[in-house]
Amino acid sequence: MIELARETVERMRAGMDDDLNVAQTQAAIFDMVRKVNAAMDAGQFKKGDVPALLAALQNFDELFAVLER
């Protein structure tokens, strides 16, 4: 999950660097959320995974300001 979070942030940055490709940036976070949900359903999600995934979500929210706090 930590690697997934890191890859997601990299994909989001790549999207923004690609002439502000919002669709690519959003796809990165949606892919991460889908994979995390599947891991949770399979019982493969650990408490230690939370900080890295939250950091990726925070990075996304810094760009789009769409998440409630």
Side-chain angles (χ1 to χ4, degrees):
M1 289 294 117
I2 294 169
E3 179 64 21
L4 173 62
R6 185 190 62 74
E7 289 173 1
T8 299
V9 171
E10 285 180 11
R11 287 179 58 203
M12 288 190 302
R13 286 187 184 139
M16 297 308 289
D17 289 344
D18 182 19
D19 291 330
L20 300 176
N21 187 334
V22 173
Q24 181 180 338
T25 303
Q26 290 176 327
I29 201 72
F30 293 138
D31 288 345
M32 183 189 85
V33 169
R34 188 179 66 253
K35 290 175 183 176
V36 168
N37 283 337
M40 287 180 169
D41 289 344
Q44 299 172 341
F45 189 82
K46 298 178 178 79
K47 186 176 180 179
D49 297 329
V50 172
L53 295 167
L54 284 178
L57 285 171
Q58 181 177 354
N59 189 297
F60 176 80
D61 196 45
E62 287 172 3
L63 295 170
F64 297 104
V66 295
L67 302 176
E68 290 187 30
R69 296 176 191 231

